[in-house]
Amino acid sequence: MTNSNNPNPTPQSEPNDQNTRLQELKQFDESKIGVKGLVDRGLNAIPSIFVHPNLPDPYPGSSSTNQSDPKPKIPVIDFSAPRWTVIDQVRQAAATLGFFQIINHSVPLASINKILESMKQFYELPESVKREYYHRDVTRGASSSTNFDLYQSKAVRTRPDPPLWEHVPETCREAVMEWDKQVLEISDELMGILCEGLGLRLGNGNSNKLKEMSCLQGRAMHTDPGVLTVLVQNEVPGLQVKVAEQWVDVEPVAGAIVINIGDILQIMSNDVYKSVEHRVLANPLNDARVSVAVFMNPGLRENLFGPLPELVSAENPALYRQFTLADYMTRFFSKELDGKTLTDYYSI
């Protein structure tokens, strides 16, 4: 890795051993400039610590299957269609690909553009300002840092922690607060649709079993351990989903919201819905790629989670054992992020 004081950093060769890699990771972390800082200082090649050893295929991702086979597409679901149509399409996408995009939804396009632009503005701030938020102390509210498992994982990812509003940078505070409300509303609607797709209805006629189980309470902004991920992205591509042995692009669609199923929802649905591997490729374009992801998680950490009783029978036995969210998240944050997370650990 490069010295943080070098105005023109250049990547070094692949580390010869773990000690070299650890030294490079530590040097990068202590610089507190992040990936954007490297780019601003003239980086012209991807440093070895950012290269995943198990993903050798070049941008935009190649298939290991027959290239003559038609590549699947991530569905774009029109939320203005009749409700039964939306429920059927969401169920089919969630049960096969685990990813879909929604359009003509209730979230204003202005809100999407506002949150994307505000995040871009934050990363355009001077290094001296952004360094104030580079930390991993969740008690301090908002942070912008490399991932929690920086010294364990095979590649570097970024994730901010859930914010306390007074600690969110002023440049994006209003947009983040507004976006949090919009995400809560659309997630409420989505979880109701997903529940209906599973045939779940409550005694009072409400179909949102997931909301009843606190799945709308925990939210973290900016693989996905939780229930549902709600993401918006700008026009620069890069997000891909693994379908069978192919990497499929999630092509940017103006005004669309990307939805993907998390591991906990796969478990709760007893494998009806699927949580799948996905990645973001290094951006080869001059334009910046901007995305904002909100992870919806249960808020009741000591409650038991597992396959929903309504989905378990003699013909369809439970495929997973029960667990508390506290146990799940402890295991998640103590392991390396290497693709599939903990569904296998809790399987029966």
Side-chain angles (χ1 to χ4, degrees), residues 240-288:
Q240 293 188 323
V241 178
K242 194 170 187 180
V243 181
E245 297 303 317
Q246 301 186 79
W247 285 104
V248 179
D249 296 318
V250 182
E251 298 177 1
V253 175
I257 299 176
V258 180
I259 307 297
N260 72 273
I261 306 301
D263 287 349
I264 291 179
L265 185 51
Q266 176 172 327
I267 292 172
M268 293 172 70
S269 73
N270 208 30
D271 270 2
V272 175
Y273 295 152
K274 301 297 189 293
S275 174
V276 299
E277 288 186 64
H278 49 285
R279 68 184 186 185
V280 177
L281 297 175
N283 179 15
L285 307 176
N286 291 327
D287 296 329

Side-chain angles (χ1 to χ4, degrees), residues 71-86:
K71 215 170 191 180
K73 290 186 176 295
I74 303 303
V76 178
I77 300 174
D78 187 347
F79 260 41
S80 68
R83 186 173 177 83
W84 65 267
T85 300
V86 173

Side-chain angles (χ1 to χ4, degrees), residues 190-343:
L190 276 162
M191 288 187 185
I193 289 171
L194 287 161
C195 285
E196 289 194 53
L198 293 171
L200 299 175
R201 297 196 70 85
L202 303 182
N204 58 8
N206 183 2
S207 62
N208 202 337
K209 176 77 171 179
L210 295 174
K211 180 178 181 179
E212 182 192 55
M213 298 181 67
S214 80
C215 293
L216 286 170
Q217 291 184 11
R219 300 189 294 283
M221 192 172 298
H222 246 291
T223 267
D224 297 345
V227 177
L228 203 66
T229 300
V230 179
L231 177 142
V232 288
Q233 58 182 345
N234 69 351
E235 69 281 359
V236 178
L239 178 61
Q240 293 188 323
V241 178
K242 194 170 187 180
V243 181
E245 297 303 317
Q246 301 186 79
W247 285 104
V248 179
D249 296 318
V250 182
E251 298 177 1
V253 175
I257 299 176
V258 180
I259 307 297
N260 72 273
I261 306 301
D263 287 349
I264 291 179
L265 185 51
Q266 176 172 327
I267 292 172
M268 293 172 70
S269 73
N270 208 30
D271 270 2
V272 175
Y273 295 152
K274 301 297 189 293
S275 174
V276 299
E277 288 186 64
H278 49 285
R279 68 184 186 185
V280 177
L281 297 175
N283 179 15
L285 307 176
N286 291 327
D287 296 329
R289 170 177 166 79
V290 182
S291 66
V292 179
V294 179
F295 305 111
M296 310 300 296
N297 304 310
L300 302 176
R301 295 179 62 86
E302 299 306 324
N303 281 22
L304 287 175
F305 294 88
L308 296 171
E310 299 92 332
L311 304 179
V312 175
S313 65
E315 296 76 22
N316 296 292
L319 301 176
Y320 302 93
R321 55 191 172 90
Q322 291 189 323
F323 53 89
T324 64
L325 183 67
D327 178 75
Y328 183 94
M329 298 307 290
T330 297
R331 294 183 185 280
F332 175 80
F333 284 113
S334 65
K335 72 180 289 293
E336 182 180 318
L337 295 182
D338 54 359
K340 200 62 178 174
T341 54
L342 290 171
T343 52

Side-chain angles (χ1 to χ4, degrees), residues 173-190:
R173 183 182 305 158
E174 181 184 348
V176 171
M177 292 177 68
E178 178 182 322
W179 186 243
D180 184 64
K181 294 177 182 178
Q182 297 285 358
V183 167
L184 185 60
E185 292 179 6
I186 194 65
S187 297
D188 189 352
E189 182 179 1
L190 276 162

